[in-house]
Amino acid sequence: MDVFAMGAQKSIHAGKAKIDVNVDLTHRLCSSLMLPPFRSSGSPLSLIIGSLCLKHPNLFGGSEKLDVSWDKGLYDSNALIAYRRPRPEWLSQQSFVIQHSLTPEIGVHGLPMDNFSRSGSGGVNLSQFSVGLDLTEPANSNWSSTTSIRFKHVRPVNDDGRSISRDLDGFPVTYSGNCHDNMVVLKQESHYAKANDRSFFRASFQIEQGIPLLSKWIIFNRLKFVASKGVKVGPAFLLASITGGSIVGDMAPYQAFAIGGLGSVRGYGEGSIGSGRSCLVANSELTIPLNKMMEGALFLDCGTDLGSDRHVPGNPALRQGKPGSGLGLGYCLRFKSPFGHFQVDYAINSFQQRTVYFGISNLGS
């Protein structure tokens, strides 16, 4: 995907509150994109991506903190309100959270294209509203953990924003079979990190438990883990990571693990390898500095749904012809400049289909 972006960042102080504004004007330069548009909106506002953040450190005069943020992408958005009361450092920090997000379900319901190197829209988007409490435990040595309990209301919508209960093939897109799912989710996240001058190790574990307060609500257990190890080898740096997960109990199709894409197995479109009840993804990358402003990397990614795609309601992976496993390899160039960081990835997948990713981040004001 060729993308050209111009950005602007601004911080405004209004009394004790601070407002951060970040706006990127993005224009697509080529007609053949890795992620083709699935909304036919011709409005210039559809090309604006950015974020707005309001922080108040002393809302009611007792050091209560209020964070309000809104992020908008080309096809997704996320709004978050978090309120925190002051507590001693040795006690869990409590946050009352209200969140709403709108995201395209390309990873599960998207259609693989061009030998699976791209993903087209499947016409399913998720509108999610949640409210609940987050508890952040005090950091203990190399460990940190967060526990949360939230009520979630999930409503699939089509590209026009209308509620739907079935996909383009007529299969249900919710667990209930209606236009929405309700659930109460207890979530535990634990993180471990250890580093020195020549290496680091990181691991994270995430467990979600659906609590059926009402008979029609979803009950499930979802586990996901990520472990990564980095080692300096002379001037180069070797990084390896493994990601896995599984879900048991009730589930809706949108809860499946999507495999493939830039953050998973490069060389494939998002979710083009598979979408199953379980997943296993391995990544390895050797980074070599070329000069002060540029570095190169060689990478090898692979992933599989462990044959669990048929256990997803409606089996969207089978209907879309996803292979269930795949491998991608290639190289990457990263450029650092005062104007931002630029990255180009070139990957080839198991079908010998070549894919190029362009990325821009940390744009200057």
Side-chain angles (χ1 to χ4, degrees):
M1 176 168 56
D2 293 334
V3 172
F4 173 73
M6 295 181 296
Q9 298 177 349
K10 184 68 176 179
S11 294
I12 303 171
H13 291 271
K16 294 182 178 181
K18 180 182 178 183
I19 302 175
D20 294 327
V21 181
N22 177 23
V23 177
D24 295 332
L25 303 178
T26 303
H27 177 63
R28 290 159 293 178
L29 295 180
C30 65
S31 59
S32 177
L33 302 180
M34 286 172 45
L35 181 58
F38 45 86
R39 290 192 177 93
S40 56
S41 172
S43 169
L45 294 178
S46 65
L47 297 180
I48 296 178
I49 62 176
S51 61
L52 176 65
C53 182
L54 168 66
K55 296 178 180 291
H56 200 297
N58 192 22
L59 187 62
F60 299 117
S63 298
E64 301 91 349
K65 293 180 173 59
L66 176 68
D67 293 343
V68 180
S69 64
W70 177 66
D71 297 285
K72 180 187 177 299
L74 284 175
Y75 310 118
D76 59 351
S77 64
N78 182 69
L80 177 69
I81 300 174
Y83 170 75
R84 294 190 294 274
R85 296 183 61 186
R87 288 172 64 87
E89 294 183 357
W90 61 87
L91 295 178
S92 300
Q93 300 301 307
Q94 300 178 355
S95 300
F96 179 74
V97 178
I98 301 175
Q99 185 174 11
H100 177 268
S101 64
L102 179 64
T103 54
E105 267 300 282
I106 301 174
V108 175
H109 294 284
L111 306 175
M113 303 167 62
D114 296 345
N115 287 341
F116 304 93
S117 64
R118 296 194 298 155
S119 294
S121 168
V124 180
N125 308 274
L126 287 188
S127 174
Q128 300 188 70
F129 172 80
S130 66
V131 56
L133 186 67
D134 292 354
L135 301 175
T136 303
E137 301 292 337
N140 180 15
S141 183
N142 299 319
W143 285 93
S144 62
S145 64
T146 301
T147 303
S148 66
I149 184 166
R150 294 195 189 184
F151 165 79
K152 291 188 175 183
H153 176 82
V154 183
R155 182 172 62 95
V157 298
N158 61 16
D159 293 341
D160 296 324
R162 298 178 181 177
S163 296
I164 57 175
S165 60
R166 297 183 179 274
D167 60 21
L168 296 178
D169 296 326
F171 287 84
V173 292
T174 60
Y175 168 75
S176 66
N178 300 320
C179 293
H180 65 269
D181 283 332
N182 291 325
M183 64 191 84
V184 171
V185 179
L186 178 64
K187 182 178 179 181
Q188 172 72 42
E189 290 185 272
S190 298
H191 301 273
Y192 175 85
K194 185 176 182 180
N196 55 43
D197 294 339
R198 298 195 60 83
S199 67
F200 75 84
F201 176 75
R202 288 195 298 259
S204 66
F205 304 90
Q206 182 185 103
I207 300 176
E208 295 178 88
Q209 177 66 57
I211 304 175
L213 296 185
L214 296 179
S215 60
K216 295 183 179 180
W217 289 11
I218 301 179
I219 177 172
F220 65 92
N221 184 274
R222 192 176 196 266
L223 168 68
K224 182 179 179 181
F225 70 88
V226 181
S228 58
K229 174 72 173 181
V231 179
K232 194 172 184 180
V233 183
F237 193 81
L238 178 63
L239 174 64
S241 66
I242 186 169
T243 302
S246 185
I247 180 171
V248 296
D250 304 330
M251 73 172 295
Y254 55 77
Q255 293 179 301
F257 293 94
I259 308 167
L262 187 57
S264 177
V265 180
R266 285 164 283 191
Y268 291 86
E270 185 177 353
S272 289
I273 291 179
S275 46
R277 274 187 178 262
S278 303
C279 76
L280 189 63
V281 176
N283 309 95
S284 59
E285 184 173 290
L286 179 66
T287 303
I288 304 172
L290 303 178
N291 54 47
K292 292 183 178 180
M293 299 181 62
M294 184 170 64
E295 63 183 19
L298 302 174
F299 61 81
L300 174 65
D301 303 334
C302 58
T304 174
D305 63 14
L306 300 173
S308 63
D309 55 347
R310 64 183 182 275
H311 300 299
V312 175
N315 202 342
L318 175 65
R319 289 184 280 122
Q320 296 157 6
K322 296 181 180 180
S325 62
L327 181 146
L329 56 90
Y331 60 86
C332 169
L333 292 176
R334 302 186 181 104
F335 306 88
K336 300 178 182 179
S337 75
F339 305 101
H341 295 178
F342 304 84
Q343 179 169 323
V344 180
D345 292 79
Y346 175 89
I348 182 171
N349 63 27
S350 302
F351 298 92
Q352 298 185 357
Q353 179 71 29
R354 294 165 175 79
T355 305
V356 180
Y357 304 90
F358 290 86
I360 304 174
S361 62
N362 299 331
L363 292 171
S365 58

